Amino acid sequence: MQPSAHSGLAVAATPAQLAVVDAALARLRDLPGALLPIFHAIQDELGFVPTDSLPRIAEALNLSRAEVHGVLTFYHDFRTSPPAPTVVKLCRAEACQAVGCRSLEAHLHQAHGAAMGSTTHCGALTLEPVYCLGNCALGPSALVDGKLVARLTTQRLDAIVAAAKQKAAAPGGRS
Amino acid sequence: MYSNKVLDHGTKAQESATQVTLQIDGSNVTVPAGTSLMRAAVDKGVKIPKLCATDSLDAFGSCRLCIVEVEGRRGFPASCTTPCENGMKVKTQSKKLAELRRGVMELYISDHPLDCLTCPANGNCELQDMAGVTGLREVRYGYDGENHLTGEKDTSNPYFTFDATKCIVCSRCVRACEEIQGTFALTVQGRGFDSKIAPGPTDFMSSECVSCGACVQACPTATLMEKSIYDQGQPDHAVVTTCAYCGVGCAFRAEMKGNEVVRMVPHKDGKANHGHSCVKGRFAFGYATHKDRLKTPMIRRKITDPWQEVSWEEAFAYAASEIQRIQKQYGRTSVGGITSSRCTNEETFLVQKLVRAAFGNNNVDTCARVCHSPTGYGLKQTLGESAGTQDFDSVDHTDCIIVIGANPTDGHPVFASRMKRRLRGRPGTEGAGLIVIDPRRIDLVRTPHVEAEFHLQLKPGANVAVLNALAHVIVTEGLAKEDYIAQRCDVGEYAKWRTFIALPKNSPEALENDTGVPAAQIRGAARLFASAPNGAIYYGLGVTEHSQGSTTVMAIANLAMVTGNIGRTGVGVNPLRGQNNVQGSCDMGSFPHELPGYRHVSDASTRALFQAAWGRPIDSEPGLRIPNMFDAAVDGSFKALYVQGEDIAQSDPDTQHVQKALEALECLIVQDIFLNETAKYAHVLLPGSSFLEKDGTFTNAERRISPVRKVMPPLAGLADWEVTVAFAAALGYQMPYSHPSEIMDEIARLTPTFTGVSYAKLDKLGSIQWPCNAGAPDGTPVMHENEFVRGKGRFFITEFLATEERTSRKFPLILTTGRILSQYNVGAQTRRTENKVWHDQDVLEIHPHDAELRGIKHGELVALHSRKGDTALRAVVTERMQPGVVYTTFHHPESGVNVVTTENSDWATNCPEYKVTAVQVTAHAKKSEWQKDYESFSSSQEGFLPGTATRGETN
Ligand code: SF4
Ligand code: SF4
Ligand code: SF4
Ligand code: FES
Ligand code: FES
């Protein structure tokens, strides 16, 4: 419950982004189980689902914002902020855990500032979790911009971060 | 969490015609079909360990601590989700079960801080208890693995804390918010190991949470915990009492330590609330010990004098001598009294008794004048009794609900949660249909998982037109329940009404201009309501506070009768009464024309009864109503007033007229817990006592009489009833009661609808719905069951007459007023609690179109003018409003909303027309003249209190 004189949530998403959200809502809101298709449609266009879109989605589907947030965060596929130019999806399932994926995660966090679900300090790489890539025998595994990488080590991760920085600095790379 | 001193049955009670018998740990148990093994075991005195189950929620089956063995079945079913079956043989304890349960606990505890000794839940924690009963002795996983022990604390809510480190993700909180409160403000964020409880992507304060506390009550750990427990520690005893805020009348356990309330927890056995509450009742009780409480009686000759502290005896002697002097000088009828809808039945009864017996006139009225007097009048005329027809539970059996002129999610939150549950329906079943008739898009119109089929967004003042149009459709489309009417109603009157209502002028098409509602919507709504097997109407002050308030109430009764919707569960006419005891204050004879039990003062036999009991003659002439008292005071014929626990200077319309009247009084005696607005005009101040400081009863909107119990001594030494008794004695009239139970005995002796009520019976039954007498010894949940109280139900012709308050070039907008969840009435209590964080000022809601036209920006101070006066408020630009209508609340005196409202009132009862005032709103305002005068008057009055210099500094 917000104070009654409150001016409403500060909106950080751009009007263009919100227009994408509204268009997706207009198109899909009447589907049964519309929430996931709406998230996918927004992420396909924007690369992420802006947090500011939650009240709109909630309002359109007559759900609470909390419920929409719950579903959004349940699926690892959805991001709530724009990804960096390079996205690393690190496997966190049992087999990869057994061969130390958690310490890789910790390394990325400590050395580069990317906690799970967030972006490195340099802004070049976003770390996301994934659960089993079917590559269990060769773990720890990850997808780097969609490409499967096996037998990851901290050194190899550092190299991936370095490459990501180059890509971000190159013309056309977002930063 | 709920006190672990109270038995938790684990899952809900089931109702079923079929009983099943099974064996639990070797002994037979018989329970209604559908009962869980867990609950059946508890019935037998066997407690099965559990964490994710509690008896206020549907079973969920996630923690696996409650596993049992069932003979002939494989595996270990969860007892919370497994229903009992005939012939089952269940074992709740075995070596294997113990091992498995210990394993579950070990996992939980390996991710839980081990700081029990300094934890606020210490002594009342289910996790602790379960570690105990499962015999957990070691945790093999160690604590250096991954855990959640570095989680953060969310302290943004003023009343409770969310400490993520202690969370076991049982989701009881999430389910409580959904199932009980119906707000859906919580979710499980993320999945697997990362899952965490969250109020959406934000903290509690900025979330959708309405701070009802249901999640706090459901949480088995210290994760969601009252801040008062952090500060004061766990309570050691509890007293069951009744909330002193709204007309829902929730039952509470006041959990205490000595004389200190540690927390208020809604009582599971409370029949009005079944263990739920809102932010006011549960959390906003701090006003009772606020430093502003008046603790000493005070007197003064003139209102420009400083107050002088005196003893109780001196105060009574002075007040009595003034009343006697004034009556000698100006006559017997120059004095009067106002009873309080916030005080107990017993106290209200005494004030009217004092006026009638000791003042010797009938100049007694109550604040119901300004809220539900048309309800009393309208329902008495049509049905025969001045009260709602149902209990709250009835809503569970409704198929279609009309909400007209009420905003239950703000005004009657606990009942609103109940209603929303019925509107959502149970999983797999349809919810009830909903028709909202309101100028404003109130929350109920569309809120998560609830959506009205029809929102008839009428123009303020057009209630009668809309109700007539609905009835017109029902009658002319052959949807009237003619059988019911023939059997139960006065057919002659019905025939007349039927002819009237069928006239073309009452069709939705003909009335479209007046109502502002498209005719097709009205037709649709009428068909929906008339075709529902059970239809129920709920209404509030948006019905009564109009110049046609009484007519509207009668039109509602007509609509209920014509659709056959009175006299059984699931239907009815249900006024949602505003203050905690407004029903009771009316029952107790607070009106100038009626003795207790709604019997007219002109009735000689009733008078004889009271005369005999009270030993004084009773005037056969009705006395003055509140607005007449004000007029008479301004005219100079009314000179003294005794006001108990009401703030007429803030709550009544046309403030400047009220102020003039109060200034004209020679003796104003105010009894209140604070120096309220009225007290600033007083000559005698008698400190009041809060609901925690006295015994008595309140009667809620469903006619339920519930006990109020003293948990601490009165701050100023006397309870309110004792003050009235002593004041009467000073006037030479003795009312020698030693306890409020004796007052109730007198009420029961003198009032036919109360003859069966006594404190002993209240202790036994918990609460009683009147009528309670020989015919209904345990009370009456549903009224008019076999016949109407008046015999035959009577239809009244309800001609629509537009209010005289019209918009004009000068005042082109309509102002309507209402309330907000976090504040209560004039706010004297809630403003003195942390609830002020939600509503620290009254704001003016205005449609974007009207705002733009006037260059008004969100959040800016705007001026509000009417023909009566001016004030200034902050604007909130919102599409909740329809263009042409603005809205505000009256919880803060400095907003001066009632400076703007007019003297217009209901034709039958003088209930003021708060809901319709023609106004203009202009941008770039400064405070109005009235507001500046108010500020300086108010601060000089506060300066007159003894010791104010130091009060200012410590604040
Ligand atoms: S906050 Fe309490 S009720 Fe909610 S999941 Fe955590 S432990 Fe359970
Ligand atoms: S306090 Fe009430 S509304 Fe808020 S999260 Fe808890 S249950 Fe939901
Ligand atoms: S204010 Fe009303 S709804 Fe809230 S707890 Fe008190 S009686 Fe219940
Ligand atoms: S566990 Fe990582 S790839 Fe299967
Ligand atoms: S109590 Fe039955 S599974 Fe949790």
Side-chain angles (χ1 to χ4, degrees):
Chain A
M1 182 163 47
Q2 294 176 346
S4 39
H6 194 276
S7 51
L9 281 178
V11 173
T14 64
Q17 288 170 336
L18 291 177
V20 168
V21 172
D22 289 343
L25 286 173
R27 217 166 49 226
L28 303 166
R29 59 186 288 173
D30 293 327
L31 290 182
L35 200 46
L36 289 180
I38 288 170
F39 286 150
H40 278 296
I42 296 171
Q43 178 145 316
D44 285 351
E45 284 210 46
L46 298 179
F48 71 111
V49 181
T51 306
D52 298 338
S53 67
L54 297 194
R56 290 176 186 238
I57 300 172
E59 162 69 26
L61 303 184
N62 205 17
L63 299 169
S64 71
R65 300 198 292 270
E67 288 176 287
V68 177
H69 174 73
V71 176
L72 182 68
T73 54
F74 183 82
Y75 295 97
H76 298 291
D77 288 348
F78 300 121
R79 297 182 200 100
T80 52
S81 51
T86 300
V87 176
V88 171
K89 293 188 189 244
L90 184 66
C91 175
R92 257 182 160 186
E94 281 73 15
C96 288
Q97 272 204 36
V99 292
C101 72
R102 288 286 162 139
S103 65
L104 296 178
E105 192 181 319
H107 173 74
L108 265 177
H109 191 184
Q110 276 148 23
H112 303 284
M116 193 48 90
S118 76
T119 297
T120 51
H121 287 318
C122 63
L125 179 147
T126 298
L127 175 64
E128 288 175 357
V130 70
Y131 292 83
C132 195
L133 296 165
N135 196 35
C136 312
L138 299 174
S141 321
L143 289 176
V144 177
D145 281 340
K147 273 202 293 287
L148 185 64
V149 182
R151 295 225 166 96
L152 268 179
T153 59
T154 48
Q155 289 85 341
R156 292 190 68 190
L157 268 181
D158 289 341
I160 292 168
V161 174
K165 278 190 198 163
Q166 278 191 353
K167 176 174 164 196
R174 278 183 288 153
S175 63
Chain B
M1 95 180 217
Y2 210 75
S3 171
N4 60 4
K5 295 182 187 125
V6 179
L7 186 64
D8 184 345
H9 295 85
T11 63
K12 290 182 184 167
Q14 297 295 320
E15 273 173 36
S16 171
T18 346
Q19 301 278 314
V20 296
T21 302
L22 67 164
Q23 235 183 44
I24 295 180
D25 292 343
S27 48
N28 279 342
V29 199
T30 303
V31 292
T35 304
S36 71
L37 294 180
M38 178 179 279
R39 189 168 176 115
V42 173
D43 281 357
K44 203 67 214 171
V46 176
K47 287 201 218 163
I48 302 174
K50 65 177 189 59
L51 275 172
C52 68
T54 184
D55 57 13
S56 56
L57 298 171
D58 291 339
F60 193 58
S62 70
C63 75
R64 302 277 310 150
L65 202 60
C66 69
I67 46 172
V68 290
E69 289 174 18
V70 180
E71 202 178 282
R73 289 204 190 180
R74 288 203 303 171
F76 303 93
S79 61
C80 63
T81 48
T82 310
C84 295
E85 284 168 29
N86 265 327
M88 268 181 163
K89 291 203 171 98
V90 181
K91 249 165 84 182
T92 70
Q93 303 293 343
S94 73
K95 208 159 162 254
K96 185 67 198 164
L97 287 170
E99 220 172 82
L100 288 169
R101 288 181 187 146
R102 209 171 293 142
V104 170
M105 275 315 287
E106 197 175 349
L107 273 175
Y108 275 118
I109 297 303
S110 69
D111 191 8
H112 196 88
L114 293 187
D115 58 0
C116 283
L117 285 183
T118 51
C119 177
N122 191 15
N124 196 35
C125 171
E126 233 171 295
L127 191 66
Q128 214 175 46
D129 293 351
M130 289 307 112
V133 298
T134 54
L136 186 68
R137 294 294 167 260
E138 54 167 356
V139 174
R140 284 162 300 176
Y141 305 103
Y143 294 95
D144 24 348
E146 247 202 311
N147 56 44
H148 296 90
L149 304 183
T150 53
E152 278 175 22
K153 250 193 201 176
D154 178 348
T155 56
S156 62
N157 182 289
Y159 295 117
F160 61 83
T161 299
F162 174 75
D163 177 358
T165 61
K166 310 238 160 168
C167 181
I168 58 172
V169 202
C170 64
S171 85
R172 273 161 66 162
C173 53
V174 179
R175 289 177 284 138
C177 192
E178 297 181 0
E179 291 174 31
I180 299 173
Q181 166 56 26
T183 294
F184 297 78
L186 295 178
T187 187
V188 183
Q189 162 188 311
R191 64 162 24 151
F193 179 80
D194 291 328
S195 53
K196 160 178 184 242
I197 301 303
T202 175
D203 63 8
F204 273 86
M205 194 60 192
S206 343
S207 75
E208 293 149 305
C209 164
V210 295
S211 197
C212 72
C215 55
V216 178
Q217 180 173 323
C219 179
T221 67
T223 315
L224 282 161
M225 176 62 89
E226 292 94 344
K227 286 183 178 171
S228 65
I229 301 255
Y230 274 90
D231 295 344
Q232 291 162 273
Q234 290 287 340
D236 57 30
H237 67 283
V239 180
V240 173
T241 188
T242 303
C243 179
Y245 284 116
C246 84
V248 178
C250 296
F252 275 90
R253 290 163 53 86
E255 298 195 349
M256 312 282 304
K257 222 158 58 169
N259 282 340
E260 218 175 63
V261 179
V262 177
R263 64 174 184 177
M264 297 288 282
V265 182
H267 185 39
K268 279 188 185 175
D269 296 336
K271 296 197 184 87
N273 58 320
H274 302 285
H276 189 38
S277 77
C278 79
V279 59
K280 294 189 282 289
R282 189 191 300 261
F283 292 126
F285 57 85
Y287 72 87
T289 48
H290 193 276
K291 63 175 175 43
D292 288 353
R293 280 288 302 272
L294 298 172
K295 299 188 193 72
T296 340
M298 286 179 259
I299 58 174
R300 60 180 177 181
R301 292 249 159 236
K302 296 195 303 301
I303 67 166
T304 46
D305 291 344
W307 286 104
Q308 184 195 336
E309 297 192 27
V310 293
S311 69
W312 279 109
E313 289 69 28
E314 283 170 278
F316 293 134
Y318 179 72
S321 70
E322 279 293 278
I323 295 286
Q324 282 158 345
R325 173 186 70 78
I326 290 169
Q327 282 193 306
K328 196 171 277 165
Q329 194 174 342
Y330 301 98
R332 180 171 53 85
T333 57
S334 61
V335 303
I338 295 182
T339 73
S340 172
S341 293
R342 296 185 206 168
C343 286
T344 63
N345 285 315
E346 292 75 3
E347 287 159 349
T348 309
F349 180 84
L350 287 194
V351 171
Q352 63 89 33
K353 177 173 174 180
L354 175 138
V355 171
R356 298 190 206 275
F359 289 2
N361 64 41
N362 287 318
N363 289 336
V364 61
D365 205 358
T366 186
C367 60
R369 175 68 51 216
V370 302
C371 67
H372 267 292
S373 48
T375 291
Y377 179 79
L379 296 185
K380 178 110 188 170
Q381 294 294 315
T382 49
L383 313 178
E385 191 57 272
S386 300
T389 61
Q390 310 297 116
D391 57 0
F392 289 140
D393 288 357
S394 165
V395 77
D396 289 348
H397 305 276
T398 297
D399 303 297
C400 182
I401 298 173
I402 292 183
V403 175
I404 170 167
N407 183 5
T409 52
D410 281 279
H412 301 86
V414 164
F415 178 67
S417 290
R418 201 62 193 284
M419 185 187 267
K420 286 201 280 185
R421 202 180 328 159
R422 177 65 199 116
L423 291 166
R424 293 195 301 271
R426 305 274 309 156
T429 61
E430 278 270 309
L434 174 64
I435 298 161
V436 174
I437 308 178
D438 204 292
R440 212 166 141 252
R441 199 192 69 218
I442 57 169
D443 279 349
L444 261 191
V445 171
R446 197 162 190 273
T447 183
H449 304 277
V450 167
E451 185 160 16
E453 272 75 8
F454 293 96
H455 176 204
L456 311 181
Q457 196 165 16
L458 76 179
K459 293 183 189 164
N463 284 330
V464 171
V466 168
L467 290 163
N468 281 352
L470 287 167
H472 174 92
V473 175
I474 289 166
V475 162
T476 55
E477 296 191 1
L479 300 169
K481 295 273 179 315
E482 303 289 352
D483 292 352
Y484 174 93
I485 297 163
Q487 204 191 339
R488 304 279 314 259
C489 302
D490 178 330
V491 287
E493 295 299 327
Y494 172 61
K496 280 190 229 159
W497 175 81
R498 197 177 194 292
T499 315
F500 157 78
I501 209 77
L503 293 175
K505 68 170 183 185
N506 286 320
S507 75
E509 290 74 16
L511 286 167
E512 210 164 82
N513 253 337
D514 294 299
T515 61
V517 184
Q521 283 189 23
I522 293 201
R523 289 199 176 268
R527 288 170 197 146
L528 181 70
F529 187 70
S531 59
N534 283 338
I537 307 173
Y538 292 86
Y539 73 88
L541 302 182
V543 157
T544 53
E545 290 175 348
H546 283 283
S547 58
Q548 276 204 297
S550 293
T551 319
T552 314
V553 172
M554 293 195 264
I556 287 173
N558 290 344
L559 187 62
M561 289 188 288
V562 76
T563 51
N565 278 318
I566 295 184
R568 61 181 186 278
T569 298
V571 300
V573 172
N574 304 275
L576 294 171
R577 320 236 20 181
Q579 304 196 47
N580 51 324
N581 198 36
V582 63
Q583 180 70 53
S585 75
C586 297
D587 302 341
M588 291 301 109
S590 292
F591 289 130
H593 65 294
E594 280 170 344
L595 284 155
Y598 304 100
R599 285 165 296 165
H600 205 276
V601 291
S602 63
D603 177 46
S605 63
T606 308
R607 269 203 329 276
L609 181 72
F610 282 90
Q611 273 160 203
W614 294 351
R616 290 279 174 104
I618 296 195
D619 199 338
S620 60
E621 281 296 310
L624 297 173
R625 297 170 171 183
I626 292 174
N628 309 134
M629 292 181 192
F630 294 151
D631 293 345
V634 173
D635 290 351
S637 59
F638 189 74
K639 289 291 180 186
L641 184 61
Y642 168 39
V643 184
Q644 183 179 71
E646 280 303 324
D647 197 359
I648 44 181
Q650 188 184 340
S651 63
D652 285 39
D654 194 0
T655 308
Q656 302 188 58
H657 181 65
V658 177
Q659 288 172 340
K660 238 184 265 151
L662 296 178
E663 276 165 6
L665 294 175
E666 291 185 10
C667 180
L668 175 60
I669 304 161
V670 168
Q671 180 175 341
D672 204 280
I673 59 175
F674 296 115
L675 182 80
N676 63 17
E677 299 310 308
T678 311
K680 291 173 185 166
Y681 296 87
H683 305 89
V684 180
L685 263 185
L686 304 172
S689 46
S690 79
F691 77 114
L692 297 167
E693 298 157 30
K694 57 199 184 187
D695 288 306
T697 56
F698 291 151
T699 306
N700 75 353
E702 35 162 22
R703 296 169 276 106
R704 186 181 300 286
I705 308 163
S706 302
V708 176
R709 293 197 174 93
K710 178 168 161 179
V711 301
M712 53 173 81
L715 220 57
L718 294 182
D720 287 307
W721 63 273
E722 295 173 299
V723 172
T724 308
V725 165
F727 178 31
L731 284 164
Y733 182 68
Q734 305 302 329
M735 316 196 272
Y737 306 101
S738 62
H739 188 268
S741 63
E742 297 170 7
I743 309 174
M744 182 52 88
D745 293 342
E746 178 172 325
I747 297 168
R749 269 200 309 278
L750 293 171
T751 317
T753 41
F754 277 70
T755 44
V757 181
S758 69
Y759 277 34
K761 194 182 275 182
L762 280 167
D763 283 342
K764 194 171 104 215
L765 300 178
S767 60
I768 302 171
Q769 285 178 276
W770 67 259
C772 172
N773 44 32
D778 289 348
T780 312
V782 174
M783 291 194 72
H784 316 291
E785 273 195 312
N786 298 312
E787 64 168 0
F788 286 100
V789 172
R790 74 180 295 286
K792 295 283 182 192
R794 175 159 179 207
F795 284 83
F796 272 79
I797 302 229
T798 51
E799 191 83 56
F800 170 60
L801 292 173
T803 164
E804 281 164 21
E805 187 72 12
R806 302 259 164 84
T807 54
S808 59
R809 272 241 315 279
K810 202 159 162 222
F811 301 116
L813 300 170
I814 290 287
L815 167 74
T816 178
T817 61
R819 283 176 290 179
I820 191 161
L821 171 65
S822 58
Q823 296 286 351
Y824 175 70
N825 204 275
V826 293
Q829 294 141 294
T830 41
R831 277 184 280 116
R832 289 182 174 91
T833 68
E834 293 298 325
N835 278 28
K836 61 186 182 292
V837 303
W838 288 292
H839 191 71
D840 59 355
Q841 57 187 308
D842 293 314
V843 298
L844 187 79
E845 293 187 13
I846 182 167
H847 189 270
H849 174 79
D850 292 327
E852 203 188 321
L853 219 71
R854 292 169 175 75
I856 289 170
K857 292 203 194 61
H858 193 94
E860 120 184 315
L861 202 62
V862 295
L864 180 67
H865 321 268
S866 78
R867 62 185 166 88
K868 277 291 164 187
D870 302 330
T871 191
L873 297 163
R874 285 200 188 281
V876 163
V877 178
T878 165
E879 292 191 344
R880 234 177 230 286
M881 301 310 301
Q882 51 175 297
V885 182
V886 294
Y887 167 89
T888 190
T889 48
F890 66 104
H891 301 305
H892 292 268
E894 63 276 11
S895 353
V897 174
N898 283 326
V899 173
V900 175
T901 54
T902 70
E903 76 290 356
N904 287 2
S905 68
D906 175 46
W907 59 271
T909 67
N910 279 150
C911 182
E913 189 169 40
Y914 289 107
K915 303 291 180 181
V916 189
T917 309
V919 294
Q920 177 58 296
V921 180
T922 52
H924 313 302
K926 291 209 225 21
K927 285 193 173 149
S928 76
E929 284 309 311
W930 180 88
Q931 282 171 310
K932 283 186 218 149
D933 290 350
Y934 166 79
E935 262 170 34
S936 72
F937 173 72
S938 194
S939 80
S940 68
Q941 284 298 331
E942 273 155 25
F944 289 155
L945 284 175
T948 23
T950 48
R951 292 159 74 93
E953 280 159 27
T954 51
N955 186 10

